[in-house]
Structure formats: structure tokens, C-alpha cells
Amino acid sequence: MTTAATVLLAATTITTGGAFLLRVTRGQAPANDLQRSFYRAGHGHAGMFITLGLVVLLLVDLAGVGQPWRLLSTGVLWAAVLMPAGFFLSVLGKDPQRPGRLVALLWLGAAALVLGLVSAAVGLLLTG
């Protein structure tokens, strides 16, 4: 339950991202088209993956999934951090024309997501 509580507290930061995104869409914070699209994607992925991660955490806990599947299933929650970070951090700057090197965080997050989902599924299947 400590992990779930920590994730719920961390989820409050998504509201900060939402407030920033609102400022961008109102023209109160400068952003080019690339930044606007990446900011929207980062915000959306953060909320969706935290929700999915909590559901996976609940399923794994309720089923009593053992290690290593239990630990590996937290990859979904890692994706909730890595992918939005990749969206936001790869377009930092005054007027980027393409994503920077930190776009690699998207791919790292995608790998964590797949690992987490497959591990949760295998653990649930093995648990019965």
C-alpha cells in the first residue's frame, strides 16, 4: 500500500502539468507547435499510465503475485514517469524544431511499459 500511496501523492503533480498546459493553450506561456503537441502528449500519458499502473498494482496485490513478476510489473508505473519526462524534456528550449536527445526516455518508458504489462500478465497467469 505504500507504493500506491506514494503514486497517489505523485499524481498530484499532474495537476501542475495541467495548469502549465492551460497556460500554453491560452498563449500565456510561449511554445511552438512541436512543444504544444509534446506537452499535450506528456500530460495525457502521465495521467493514463498512472491510472493503469495503479490498476496493475491492485490486480497483482489482490492475486498475490509473487516475485519477480510483482517487482517487474511496476514497470507500468516507471513508464508513467519516463514517457512524460521524455515528452516534456526533449522539447526544452526557446524554439526547438525537433525533439532533443531526451526523447530516448520515451523509448525507455515504452520498454518499461511492455515489461510491466507482460510481467503482470505472466504473474497473474501463474498465480491462477
Side-chain angles (χ1 to χ4, degrees):
M1 287 300 156
T2 302
T3 302
T6 303
V7 170
L8 289 171
L9 288 173
T12 62
T13 64
I14 296 171
T15 60
T16 305
F20 171 71
L21 189 56
L22 187 57
R23 289 183 57 230
V24 168
T25 58
R26 289 182 174 171
Q28 297 168 338
N32 66 20
D33 288 340
L34 174 66
Q35 289 171 316
R36 277 191 288 279
S37 65
F38 268 55
Y39 294 161
R40 279 193 303 269
H43 184 66
H45 281 80
M48 188 271 298
F49 284 140
I50 279 186
T51 303
L52 179 60
L54 286 170
V55 169
V56 167
L57 187 66
L58 181 63
L59 289 170
V60 166
D61 279 350
L62 288 175
V65 170
Q67 299 297 349
W69 311 112
R70 179 186 199 81
L71 178 64
L72 293 173
S73 69
T74 63
V76 179
L77 292 170
W78 283 106
V81 173
L82 293 168
M83 291 184 82
F87 279 116
F88 282 100
L89 298 176
S90 68
V91 294
L92 289 178
K94 202 161 191 127
D95 188 27
Q97 298 305 303
R98 58 189 175 142
R101 289 186 204 183
L102 290 176
V103 76
L105 292 172
L106 289 172
W107 297 108
L108 188 57
L113 175 65
V114 170
L115 177 66
L117 291 172
V118 169
S119 297
V122 169
L124 288 167
L125 289 169
L126 291 175
T127 301

